[in-house]
């Protein structure tokens, strides 16, 4: 399965914005809006090797800024790395971002994926999240 297709398998998408939380279940209006913006943003994006980037739970402060969490409800795998959820820090002008893996035993920790949007940025996604 292509890395970007995995996001369609999320059962809940959670938006964290400066301490506020909005959850959208699969099939809901919010979920569909987020997925539409996500797909538009990532169309043509490149997944870069996760080998050099590692994070610890300390950098995942979802009370600061805007974060997007894709929860799968089961263990998933992509590029040889397993996870149960994926977390992204959303910054409007960013042309690339880390996708941080969540594991029930370790939390948000370990090697993460990096997505290069090329000449795009996260503005489409940012606008959608602000409208929720």
């Amino acid at each position: 399965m292509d890395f970007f297709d995995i996001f369609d398998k999320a059962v809940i998408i959670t938006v964290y914005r400066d301490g506020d939380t909005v959850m959208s279940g699969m099939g809901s209006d919010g979920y569909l809006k987020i997925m539409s913006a996500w797909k538009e943003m990532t169309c043509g994006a490149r997944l870069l090797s996760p080998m050099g980037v590692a994070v610890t739970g300390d950098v995942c402060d979802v009370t600061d800024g805007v974060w997007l969490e894709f929860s799968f409800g089961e263990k998933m795998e992509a590029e040889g790395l397993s996870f149960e959820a994926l977390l992204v820090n959303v910054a409007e002008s960013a042309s690339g971002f880390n996708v941080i893996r969540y594991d029930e035993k370790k939390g948000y920790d370990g090697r993460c994926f990096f997505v290069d949007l090329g000449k795009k940025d996260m503005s489409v996604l940012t606008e959608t999240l602000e409208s929720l």
Side-chain angles (χ1 to χ4, degrees):
M1 176 182 305
D2 180 72
F3 176 77
F4 295 104
D5 292 338
I6 286 174
F7 293 89
D8 290 328
K9 305 290 185 196
V11 293
I12 297 173
I13 300 174
T14 305
V15 179
Y16 301 98
R17 185 182 308 114
D18 296 321
D20 293 328
T21 303
V22 176
M23 297 176 76
S24 299
M26 184 181 274
S28 70
D29 187 49
Y31 182 100
L32 296 174
K33 286 179 181 178
I34 293 167
M35 287 305 297
S36 177
W38 178 262
K39 287 177 182 184
E40 182 179 341
M41 179 185 75
T42 58
C43 181
R46 294 182 314 137
L47 178 65
L48 302 182
S49 172
M51 298 306 173
V53 180
V55 298
T56 64
D58 297 344
V59 300
C60 303
D61 181 5
V62 297
T63 63
D64 184 25
V66 180
W67 295 79
L68 190 60
E69 180 182 58
F70 296 85
S71 299
F72 299 96
E74 64 182 332
K75 191 166 285 244
M76 304 289 286
E77 185 174 307
E79 305 294 316
L81 300 174
S82 63
F83 52 87
E84 294 162 32
L86 296 171
L87 184 69
V88 173
N89 185 216
V90 180
E92 185 172 11
S93 63
S95 60
F97 54 90
N98 288 316
V99 180
I100 306 164
R101 299 177 306 123
Y102 176 83
D103 176 88
E104 184 178 12
K105 294 176 184 166
K106 297 180 184 177
Y108 282 106
D109 193 50
R111 290 185 296 162
C112 56
F113 305 102
F114 186 82
V115 174
D116 177 10
L117 297 175
K119 295 183 181 190
K120 293 183 182 179
D121 60 26
M122 299 181 92
S123 59
V124 169
L125 182 60
T126 301
E127 291 169 16
T128 299
L129 298 180
E130 288 175 353
S131 72
L132 299 179

